Amino acid sequence: MLNKPYVLPSKLYPKKAFHLPAVMHVDEVRQLLSAGLSNKQRALCELLYSTGVRLEECTLLKIGDIDSKNGCIHLQQGKGRKDRKLLLSKQCLETLRKYYLEHKPKVYLFEGQQAGKPMHPRSIGHAITMCMKLSGLDGKGYSAHTFRHSFA
């Protein structure tokens, strides 16, 4: 209307603050893993921490995706429908073997209450929250995604 370009006032859209994510210290990870966790809880924590896998990707892991000879996990159709390989530590592999012998999942690595169906991401998040409470780290605001930041 005034033959001038419209300039947005900067007060309407202030810059967003950037905060660094919470990262677990090595001693805190040791404290978590030394707490009295079940095999399933320990396998979840070690897998999330040692591979840096996302929560949704963890629910879709199948038993056949684990390549124990080469020490890697073939993640299929992860975020962005992309396939990728994850490093698998020997300690995590041993924990996963103990978990497998106890629970004997059929299709997915972490199955829900119905056999053959994947565990819901909220159930995994709740399990991680319970692990944090058992180890005494519940007041620090750590979640399942904190393992991914700690891995990086």
Side-chain angles (χ1 to χ4, degrees):
M1 290 177 32
L2 301 175
N3 294 329
K4 292 182 182 179
Y6 182 71
V7 179
L8 288 174
S10 62
K11 291 180 181 178
L12 292 178
Y13 301 103
K15 289 186 178 181
K16 291 184 179 180
F18 177 75
H19 300 285
L20 289 173
V23 177
M24 294 179 75
H25 194 268
V26 177
D27 295 333
E28 292 173 331
V29 175
R30 284 191 189 121
Q31 179 183 347
L32 175 69
L33 295 177
S34 66
L37 305 177
S38 68
N39 282 341
K40 189 171 192 174
Q41 290 173 329
R42 186 175 179 86
L44 274 169
C45 291
E46 281 191 24
L47 184 73
L48 290 170
Y49 179 70
S50 68
T51 61
V53 69
R54 293 178 178 92
L55 191 61
E56 285 285 334
E57 295 170 344
C58 183
T59 61
L60 299 176
L61 281 176
K62 296 182 179 178
I63 298 166
D65 294 341
I66 298 175
D67 186 4
S68 58
K69 291 179 185 175
N70 295 324
C72 66
I73 297 174
H74 301 283
L75 183 65
Q76 298 174 1
Q77 302 296 309
K79 184 177 178 181
R81 300 253 184 216
K82 294 180 182 178
D83 295 348
R84 61 187 173 112
K85 287 188 178 183
L86 306 169
L87 294 175
L88 182 63
S89 67
K90 291 179 182 178
Q91 181 180 355
C92 184
L93 181 62
E94 289 301 317
T95 305
L96 288 174
R97 284 182 177 156
K98 289 177 188 175
Y99 161 74
Y100 179 80
L101 290 175
E102 182 181 334
H103 291 277
K104 295 185 174 50
K106 293 179 177 43
V107 179
Y108 292 96
L109 185 60
F110 297 105
E111 292 185 341
Q113 293 178 349
Q114 296 177 352
K117 300 276 185 173
M119 193 172 180
H120 197 273
R122 284 195 182 177
S123 298
I124 293 177
H126 181 71
I128 298 299
T129 304
M130 295 308 294
C131 294
M132 295 295 176
K133 283 183 182 178
L134 280 173
S135 62
L137 298 172
D138 56 336
K140 298 193 176 188
Y142 293 148
S143 65
H145 197 72
T146 306
F147 287 116
R148 183 167 170 79
H149 292 298
S150 302
F151 168 76

